[in-house]
Amino acid sequence: MRRPILIEGMVTLRWYDVAACGPESFSELADGFVPMAHEFGDHDGWHAGLTSQESGTYTLLRWDQNGSRLCHRTRRHIHKKPGDDFFWIVLPDRGHFEMRFGDRVNRAMTGQALMAGLEVPCRLYIPDSASYGFQVPRNEIEHRVRPDAHMNLILDMNQGLGRIAADMIRGVHAEESRLSEREFNAVCDRVTELLCMLAVGETTPQADHHAQVAESIRRHLRAHIGRSDVRLPAVAHALGWSPRQLRAVLHESGTTFRDLRREEALRVARDLLADPRATLPIAELATRCGFTPAWFSAAFKERFGVTPREFRRSRRAVSAGSRV
C-alpha cells in the first residue's frame, strides 16, 4: 500500500514508502508506473519493498526485492500506457538489471546504469537485487541525445561524471520527503544533464572541467533569474570571469550563454508554475523570467510539450487530488 507523506504548508514532492509486500501487491504497485506481465521465482517466498519520490516532472524509485522477477511488456501493455513520454535510467545498487529488445540484450551491473525507453515491446529480468529507477521526461533526454526507438545504453557510473551522478541519485533518495518539489527538480535536472553527457561520450577531463564551469553558471542563473541582472557581463563579473572567457568555455561545452540562460529561465518558470500556492499571472511570470508573454508560451511548449496554462492547470489538479 502506498503511504503518501506530505508536509503541511510546504510545496513538497510526493514520497511513498511501501513495506515489503508479496507478488500480487507488488505487481499492482509496479503497474502503476509501467504496466507489464510479471513472473516471480519462488512465488511463495518472494517479497519486495519500494520507495518513490515523485514531482510533476521526475520520479525516483528504489526497490529491494527478495527473489527474481521476469517482466514482459507487450503491445497490449503499450496500448494501455504507451510510455513514449519518458525514459528510465536504472542503477543497480545490488545485483544487476537486464533488458531485452528482440535479440538485443543489455545487462547493467552494480557500478553501471541502463538508459532505455519502454515504448516498444521488451523483456526485463531482475534477479534478487536492489536498484534505483529514475524516470525522466523524454524531452529532457531528446534535446541533448538523439536516441533511436530502441535506445538501450549502458553507462559507466564508477568514475568521473558517472560517479557524481550516482552519488546525487543516492543523496536525493536519502532525503526522502525533506526536499521541496523545486529542490528535487533542480537536482534531477543536473543529474539528467550528467547522464546525457555520459550517453553521448563527453567524459574527458576537459569535458568535466567545462561541465563544472557550466554548472556554476547554471546555479548563478537559477538563483538570480527574476531577482537581479543576469546578462552576460553581470554574470561573468559575479563569477570572476571575463565575458570573453565565459563565452569561450561555453562554446567548448557546445552551448552559448543565451541558450543556457533561456534553458534556466524556462526551468525557473516551470517551478513557479508548479507551485500551487503561486497566484502570479502567467504574463507577469513570463516577464519576470525575461520573456515576452507570446514568446514565453511558444518556448515553454516547445521545451516541455504543453503550454504554461496547461502545465499550471495539471499541477493544480494533482495538488488538489493529493489533498483529498
Side-chain angles (χ1 to χ4, degrees):
M1 176 181 179
R2 291 187 179 188
R3 295 180 295 165
I5 300 174
L6 303 174
I7 300 175
E8 191 66 29
M10 291 182 63
V11 183
T12 62
L13 70 155
R14 294 175 298 285
W15 162 261
Y16 301 105
D17 179 16
V18 181
C21 58
E24 287 74 19
S25 296
F26 193 86
S27 295
E28 182 179 354
L29 180 66
D31 284 353
F33 297 103
V34 185
M36 296 186 185
H38 303 267
E39 299 176 23
F40 298 88
D42 184 21
H43 189 279
D44 292 338
W46 194 98
H47 62 273
L50 180 142
T51 55
S52 172
Q53 291 157 296
E54 302 174 32
S55 72
T57 305
Y58 296 100
T59 296
L60 178 59
L61 310 175
R62 188 181 190 279
W63 62 86
D64 193 337
Q65 67 178 52
N66 231 350
S68 64
R69 177 165 48 112
L70 183 63
C71 307
H72 299 272
R73 183 153 163 80
T74 67
R75 296 191 185 281
R76 178 176 61 83
H77 297 113
I78 293 167
H79 179 74
K80 180 178 180 181
K81 188 171 183 179
D84 57 357
D85 56 349
F86 56 78
F87 285 101
W88 282 95
I89 295 88
V90 179
L91 177 67
D93 206 33
R94 175 177 62 83
H96 69 269
F97 183 93
E98 182 179 295
M99 175 173 281
R100 176 190 290 271
F101 291 102
D103 295 330
R104 182 180 176 184
V105 180
N106 265 343
R107 176 182 292 177
M109 310 299 292
T110 302
Q112 298 177 316
L114 188 147
M115 177 186 287
L118 293 172
E119 73 278 19
V120 294
C122 60
R123 189 193 75 180
L124 311 180
Y125 174 67
I126 308 102
D128 188 309
S129 60
S131 297
Y132 295 93
F134 182 38
Q135 183 183 330
V136 180
R138 194 177 191 92
N139 58 23
E140 292 291 335
I141 300 289
E142 286 190 332
H143 88 282
R144 300 183 181 93
V145 182
R146 293 291 178 262
D148 60 29
H150 300 74
M151 187 171 79
N152 188 352
L153 302 177
I154 297 294
L155 308 177
D156 182 4
M157 310 299 285
N158 275 317
Q159 58 186 344
L161 296 180
R163 183 165 61 186
I164 293 170
D167 288 344
M168 292 173 72
I169 287 172
R170 294 187 180 97
V172 169
H173 176 267
E175 288 302 309
E176 300 182 351
S177 61
R178 291 183 287 272
L179 295 174
S180 69
E181 182 168 353
R182 183 171 183 173
E183 292 168 338
F184 178 75
N185 282 339
V187 179
C188 289
D189 286 341
R190 302 288 86 82
V191 171
T192 301
E193 288 162 9
L194 296 178
L195 293 171
C196 288
M197 291 181 69
L198 289 173
V200 299
E202 297 177 2
T203 57
T204 65
Q206 185 178 34
D208 286 0
H209 171 68
H210 291 160
Q212 291 170 6
V213 173
E215 175 61 21
S216 68
I217 297 169
R218 287 182 184 278
R219 284 198 303 266
H220 182 87
L221 289 169
R222 180 69 71 99
H224 293 86
I225 285 172
R227 297 182 176 89
S228 59
D229 190 353
V230 290
R231 290 173 295 183
L232 176 60
V235 173
H237 177 74
L239 296 175
W241 292 66
S242 72
R244 177 183 292 181
Q245 288 173 319
L246 193 148
R247 281 197 198 95
V249 171
L250 290 179
H251 176 74
E252 291 297 323
S253 301
T255 188
T256 66
F257 180 78
R258 176 180 293 179
D259 288 345
L260 196 149
R261 182 177 63 185
R262 178 176 179 269
E263 173 72 9
E264 291 307 310
L266 286 170
R267 286 175 169 171
V268 168
R270 178 198 65 191
D271 292 342
L272 290 172
L273 288 167
D275 186 346
R277 302 171 304 178
T279 58
L280 193 68
I282 290 175
E284 291 184 30
L285 185 150
T287 301
R288 176 179 295 185
C289 294
F291 298 96
T292 64
W295 185 35
F296 173 60
S297 182
F300 192 94
K301 184 171 184 178
E302 179 184 7
R303 179 63 181 83
F304 299 115
V306 293
T307 66
R309 192 174 305 279
E310 290 168 342
F311 182 82
R312 172 176 271 180
R313 186 183 302 120
S314 68
R315 295 301 299 125
R316 286 180 172 172
V318 169
S319 178
S322 69
R323 293 195 296 267
V324 175

